[in-house]
């Protein structure tokens, strides 16, 4: 007993580090009142240390805390992505002009950010519905408050209120579904639930089990913001301060996909028949692959078409992230090792290109207050490096070579074609072309429209340029040299038996 | 029908009935007061399932603690403010249709579904078992629940403190 607990603690160090970081920030906030940004630096240190511990978990395959959570390459891959994203967002926060106005309470900001990252780390590792729900709530609660952190802005408060209402309803639906599932199978571990379901579901239980799965799809679909559960995303992304929008769009999406994939693949599929449509056979009655495929297709269509009409840059990126959730979901729909590995690769590239786009938007907003497309007039002449970087990030988001976005889409579409989902790939291809229009529109405004008379070139400090390059180089490098990461993704999905 | 079954239905009715009052009552004090009966009804259901420790905790923490806090909260916030909400109900028809459809589906599924029935066995040392489980199988979730509450407290402080007091503009 005690040995297992001690051994589990040794394998749960990344999460423990973040809890420690959270408490140290609380203490530092009390003791060192004059160093306002101390919280940010403590969190950054915590993230680096957690990253070190996570790095050592690659290649492990352990079940810890009495089968509550798993430590494996899959989890380590997702945790690394989350910690990277959180590290970038912390750096963004230290530079954010929106947060400067709240210097006296920025300590709380970093506490909640630490809590959110902790929740996301637990989400991708948990193998028990109890822990899944708690991790989900830790993440959600901190993101509700962070969204409304800039209290003087009515938009931010409104966004927070909407997020709380949507979020609590969807969590309630999800926990209802989970309770039904637990009620049927008498187990809370996802492997035991799978074993109970694989043992055969009586015909009079089929409806209830399907309802339970549907409710869980609702809750998790909300978190990844996939159509038709996307309504909160544009308002929340627009109202929240830039760093919070970035972590919501990137970190929480990565964590939700990590959780969704582990939970769905282990609970509702049989690993032995190797994926494809047959893989979903544990729960008969509804073609779950078709349902998820339709959700993915809708997300791509609705996200990209609505983004065409947006003039606010944050809203545009919000709709684009809904569309990306659709592309990512394709990897789960096809349910092959190739598809899941492609999804994980895509998430890694998405991290850099999307954070990059948000970072440049934040820099422009810091310097000029720019939020609408019209404010971007002539920025190509006033801030050349930043505008070129934004162009590259947008090209990557579209999925054009020579960026990582192209390779990621190529793998994903290739996996879907080889699994026979031709119609889904056709929709994805068409919507990708549509997305080119609104991404390139930003570039056109920056370069081909003249700046206002007498507008000075914008100045940015050297450290922002370093951060920008740190985001830019992987975006480009992954377009040329991608095989090690792809091999790692493939090794990670091996836990599902593919 | 034996005594336990009769008691179960009585307490179930009390729980659902008072929960309905909480939802539908327009007066916030009435709502808070009937929440007490809901929580006590749930405590009684725990007793019927031989979960005596849980029932006691439910009474102590929820009825004795949280409910009193809610009543104090209602008392200390000015009444004029709470009564003057401008009410607007939108999308009545689609929401109504969706709720009715969901209710019918759930009732149908619940009444026709074959449930797995477990006989409740009488326990003598619940607290010991519970303690052992919290320190072994559920150790991690026990601790994570604590972290969740910490995050919730920080969030509540951020949301409820006034800005004008401590922000330099």
């Amino acid at each position: 007993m005690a040995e297992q607990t001690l051994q589990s603690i040794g394998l749960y160090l990344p999460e423990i580090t973040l809890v420690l970081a959270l408490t140290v920030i609380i203490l530092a906030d009390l003791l060192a009142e004059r160093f306002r940004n101390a919280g940010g630096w403590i969190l950054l240190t915590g993230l680096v240390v957690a990253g070190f511990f996570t790095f050592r978990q690659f290649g492990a395959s352990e079940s810890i805390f009495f089968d509550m959570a798993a430590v494996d390459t899959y989890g380590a891959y997702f945790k690394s992505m989350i910690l990277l994203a959180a590290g970038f967002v912390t750096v963004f926060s230290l530079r954010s002009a929106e947060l400067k106005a709240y210097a006296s309470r920025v300590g709380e900001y970093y506490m909640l950010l630490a809590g959110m990252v902790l929740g996301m780390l637990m989400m991708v590792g948990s193998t028990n519905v109890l822990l899944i729900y708690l991790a989900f709530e830790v993440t959600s609660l901190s993101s509700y408050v962070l969204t409304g952190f800039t209290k003087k802005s009515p938009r931010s408060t409104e966004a927070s209120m909407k997020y709380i209402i949507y979020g609590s309803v969807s969590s309630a639906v999800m926990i209802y579904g989970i309770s039904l599932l637990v009620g049927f199978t008498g187990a809370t571990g996802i492997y035991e639930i799978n074993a109970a379901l694989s043992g055969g579901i009586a015909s009079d239980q089929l409806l209830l089990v399907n309802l339970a799965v549907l409710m869980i799809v609702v809750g998790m679909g909300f978190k990844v913001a996939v159509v038709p559960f996307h309504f909160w995303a544009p308002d929340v992304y627009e109202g929240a301060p830039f760093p919070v929008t970035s972590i919501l769009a990137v970190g929480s999406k990565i964590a939700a996909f990590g959780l969704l994939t582990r939970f769905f693949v282990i609970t509702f599929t049989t690993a032995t028949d190797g994926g494809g449509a047959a893989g979903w056979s544990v729960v008969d009655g509804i073609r779950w692959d078709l349902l998820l495929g339709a959700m993915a297709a809708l997300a791509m269509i609705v996200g990209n078409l609505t983004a065409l009409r947006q003039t606010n840059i944050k809203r545009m990126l919000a709709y684009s992230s809904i569309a990306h959730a659709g592309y990512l979901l394709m990897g789960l729909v096809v349910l092959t090792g190739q598809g899941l590995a492609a999804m994980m690769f895509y998430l890694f590239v998405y991290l850099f290109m999307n954070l990059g786009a948000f970072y440049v938007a934040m820099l422009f907003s810091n310097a000029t207050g720019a939020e609408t497309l019209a404010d971007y007039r002539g920025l190509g002449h006033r801030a050349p490096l930043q505008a070129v970087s934004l162009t590259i990030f947008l090209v990557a988001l579209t999925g054009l070579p020579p960026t990582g976005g192209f390779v990621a889409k190529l793998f994903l579409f290739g996996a879907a074609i080889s699994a026979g989902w031709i119609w889904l790939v056709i929709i994805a291809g068409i919507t990708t072309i549509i997305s080119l229009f609104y991404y390139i529109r930003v570039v056109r405004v920056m370069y081909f429209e003249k700046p206002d008379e007498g507008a000075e070139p914008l100045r940015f400090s050297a450290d922002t340029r370093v951060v920008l390059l740190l985001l830019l180089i992987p975006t480009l490098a992954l377009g040329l040299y991608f095989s090690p990461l792809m091999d790692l993704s493939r090794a990670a999905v091996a836990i599902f038996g593919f | 029908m034996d005594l336990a079954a009769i008691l179960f239905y009585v307490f179930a009715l009390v729980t659902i009935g008072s929960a309905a009052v909480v939802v539908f009552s327009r007066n916030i004090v009435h709502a808070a007061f009937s929440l007490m009966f809901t929580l006590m009804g749930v405590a009684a259901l725990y007793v019927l399932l031989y979960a005596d420790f849980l029932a006691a905790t439910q009474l102590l923490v929820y009825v004795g603690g949280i409910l009193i806090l809610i009543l104090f909260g209602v008392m200390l916030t000015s009444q004029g403010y709470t009564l003057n909400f401008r009410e607007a109900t939108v999308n009545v028809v689609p929401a109504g249709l969706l709720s009715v459809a969901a209710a019918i589906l759930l009732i149908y599924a619940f009444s026709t579904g074959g449930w797995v029935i477990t006989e409740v066995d009488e326990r003598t040392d619940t607290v010991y078992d519970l303690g052992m489980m919290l320190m072994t199988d559920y150790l991690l979730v026990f601790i994570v629940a604590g972290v969740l509450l910490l995050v919730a407290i920080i969030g509540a402080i951020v949301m409820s403190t006034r800005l004008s007091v401590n922000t330099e503009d």
Side-chain angles (χ1 to χ4, degrees):
Chain A
M1 287 276 179
E3 294 82 55
Q4 193 179 351
T5 310
L6 285 176
Q7 191 213 355
S8 302
I9 289 174
L11 287 163
Y12 219 52
L13 286 175
E15 287 82 354
I16 293 172
T17 312
L18 273 167
V19 177
L20 282 178
L22 171 65
T23 43
V24 172
I25 298 171
I26 296 178
L27 284 178
D29 202 43
L30 279 174
L31 301 175
E33 256 183 69
R34 267 191 288 155
F35 305 104
R36 299 278 192 218
N37 273 332
W41 293 108
I42 295 168
L43 179 56
L44 211 53
T45 317
L47 290 171
V48 171
V49 176
F52 169 73
F53 290 132
T54 306
F55 195 71
R56 299 202 320 188
Q57 291 179 352
F58 278 103
S61 178
E62 305 269 350
S63 184
I64 55 168
F65 285 114
F66 310 91
D67 298 334
M68 272 291 157
V71 172
D72 44 29
T73 311
Y74 174 84
Y77 187 101
F78 273 92
K79 283 180 198 172
S80 320
M81 285 197 284
I82 291 166
L83 291 169
L84 257 176
F88 277 116
V89 169
T90 313
V91 174
F92 294 5
S93 309
L94 289 168
R95 277 276 159 200
S96 164
E98 282 164 297
L99 297 176
K100 279 249 166 59
Y102 300 87
S104 65
R105 47 168 60 198
V106 86
E108 279 89 346
Y109 173 87
Y110 292 112
M111 291 171 208
L112 290 166
L113 197 57
M116 190 175 173
V117 178
L118 170 71
M120 295 194 293
L121 290 185
M122 291 191 301
M123 268 162 85
V124 297
S126 46
T127 54
N128 189 302
V129 287
L130 264 175
L131 187 63
I132 287 176
Y133 181 70
L134 277 174
F136 209 78
E137 284 303 295
V138 172
T139 316
S140 305
L141 276 178
S142 16
S143 42
Y144 301 152
V145 183
L146 285 177
T147 303
F149 189 78
T150 47
K151 282 170 109 177
K152 276 181 280 188
S153 144
R155 264 194 330 180
S156 169
T157 312
E158 184 192 330
S160 173
M161 192 69 209
K162 279 185 183 157
Y163 198 12
I164 290 178
I165 292 173
Y166 276 112
S168 43
V169 170
S170 69
S171 314
V173 172
M174 188 180 82
I175 190 86
Y176 197 164
I178 288 179
S179 72
L180 285 180
L181 208 56
V182 173
F184 266 106
T185 53
T188 53
I190 57 177
Y191 288 99
E192 288 96 72
I193 294 178
N194 178 258
L197 290 177
S198 304
I201 309 166
S203 60
D204 55 350
Q205 295 181 342
L206 204 57
L207 179 62
L208 270 169
V209 175
N210 274 311
L211 269 178
V213 182
L214 190 68
M215 287 176 182
I216 297 169
V217 169
V218 171
M220 298 199 178
F222 167 84
K223 202 78 203 162
V224 297
V226 72
V227 177
F229 312 111
H230 65 291
F231 290 101
W232 59 278
D235 286 342
V236 169
Y237 286 15
E238 189 190 346
F242 268 107
V244 178
T245 311
S246 331
I247 189 100
L248 285 179
V250 178
S252 101
K253 196 154 284 186
I254 291 172
F257 267 104
L259 169 63
L260 183 73
T261 307
R262 190 193 286 269
F263 180 74
F264 262 67
V265 174
I266 290 179
T267 317
F268 300 124
T269 67
T270 27
T272 44
D273 50 18
W280 294 99
S281 58
V282 173
V283 185
D284 316 314
I286 294 180
R287 283 284 305 276
W288 289 105
D289 53 339
L290 266 187
L291 187 98
L292 288 175
M295 276 165 62
L298 272 176
M300 295 181 236
I301 295 168
V302 174
N304 282 315
L305 286 181
T306 327
L308 278 177
R309 292 206 313 267
Q310 302 306 317
T311 53
N312 180 301
I313 198 87
K314 273 185 183 169
R315 279 188 94 82
M316 191 200 89
L317 286 172
Y319 281 107
S320 121
S321 87
I322 292 168
H324 281 283
Y327 295 124
L328 286 161
L329 201 57
M330 279 169 66
L332 180 61
V333 170
V334 301
L335 200 67
T336 55
Q338 209 187 347
L340 292 175
M343 183 197 82
M344 291 171 66
F345 183 85
Y346 197 114
L347 275 171
F348 197 85
V349 179
Y350 175 81
L351 185 159
F352 289 101
M353 56 192 188
N354 217 25
L355 278 181
F358 275 115
Y359 188 52
V360 178
M362 186 187 97
L363 289 178
F364 285 161
S365 158
N366 281 354
T368 65
E371 275 213 0
T372 63
L373 207 53
D375 299 332
Y376 278 60
R377 265 199 325 266
L379 283 177
H381 307 285
R382 294 172 67 193
L385 173 68
Q386 283 72 15
V388 168
S389 316
L390 183 57
T391 309
I392 293 171
F393 292 133
L394 293 177
V395 165
L397 282 167
T398 320
L400 293 179
T403 60
F406 169 72
V407 180
K409 276 213 171 68
L410 196 67
F411 278 130
L412 202 56
F413 292 3
I417 288 174
S418 54
W421 288 82
I422 307 294
W423 63 271
L424 198 58
V425 177
I426 291 173
I427 292 177
I430 294 172
T431 52
T432 302
I433 296 165
I434 294 172
S435 73
L436 186 64
F437 283 99
Y438 63 84
Y439 288 129
I440 294 306
R441 197 174 50 168
V442 180
V443 179
R444 187 181 58 99
V445 172
M446 285 195 304
Y447 284 102
F448 295 106
E449 292 188 15
K450 289 269 168 283
D452 297 331
E453 281 301 312
E456 296 283 310
L458 298 176
R459 303 211 165 275
F460 296 99
S461 59
D463 60 309
T464 63
R465 261 173 267 154
V466 172
V467 176
L468 199 58
L469 285 180
L470 282 179
L471 288 162
L472 194 60
I473 291 168
T475 310
L476 286 171
L478 284 170
L480 302 169
Y481 185 61
F482 42 79
S483 41
L485 186 64
M486 199 58 205
D487 293 342
L488 186 61
S489 314
R490 276 176 203 267
V493 295
I495 59 153
F496 301 125
F498 293 130
Chain B
M1 206 188 282
D2 62 306
L3 185 66
I6 295 170
L7 278 174
F8 169 80
Y9 283 111
V10 169
F11 286 118
L13 269 179
V14 168
T15 311
I16 295 173
S18 53
V21 176
V22 177
V23 175
F24 293 113
S25 166
R26 278 170 187 276
N27 186 321
I28 196 160
V29 181
H30 292 179
F33 211 71
S34 58
L35 187 61
M36 184 175 82
F37 293 102
T38 315
L39 296 172
M40 291 198 328
V42 173
L45 294 181
Y46 283 145
V47 174
L48 290 176
L49 292 170
Y50 297 106
D52 48 4
F53 182 75
L54 218 52
T57 321
Q58 169 88 5
L59 278 181
L60 280 174
V61 175
Y62 282 92
V63 183
I66 292 177
L67 192 74
I68 303 295
L69 274 180
I70 291 176
L71 281 172
F72 263 101
V74 171
M75 201 174 78
L76 293 176
T77 44
S78 66
Q79 281 294 309
Y81 185 69
T82 48
L83 290 178
N84 281 336
F85 275 124
R86 193 164 57 88
E87 277 184 49
T89 315
V90 290
N91 296 335
V92 181
V93 177
L97 282 178
L98 192 67
S99 322
V100 170
I104 290 173
L105 191 62
L106 280 176
I107 291 170
Y108 175 76
F110 276 41
S111 51
T112 57
W115 292 94
V116 183
I117 294 166
T118 316
E119 281 301 318
V120 214
D121 46 340
E122 196 168 346
R123 288 183 173 276
T124 46
D125 35 21
T126 6
V127 185
Y128 177 80
D129 291 348
L130 208 64
M132 287 309 282
M133 282 171 106
L134 283 183
M135 281 299 126
T136 56
D137 286 2
Y138 299 99
L139 175 65
L140 184 63
V141 280
F142 181 56
I143 295 169
V144 171
V147 177
L148 174 73
L149 289 177
L150 176 66
V151 170
I153 289 172
I154 298 170
I157 291 171
V158 170
M159 282 189 142
S160 59
T161 45
R162 275 177 220 276
L163 261 179
S164 51
V165 184
N166 51 11
T167 310
E168 56 270 68
D169 291 295

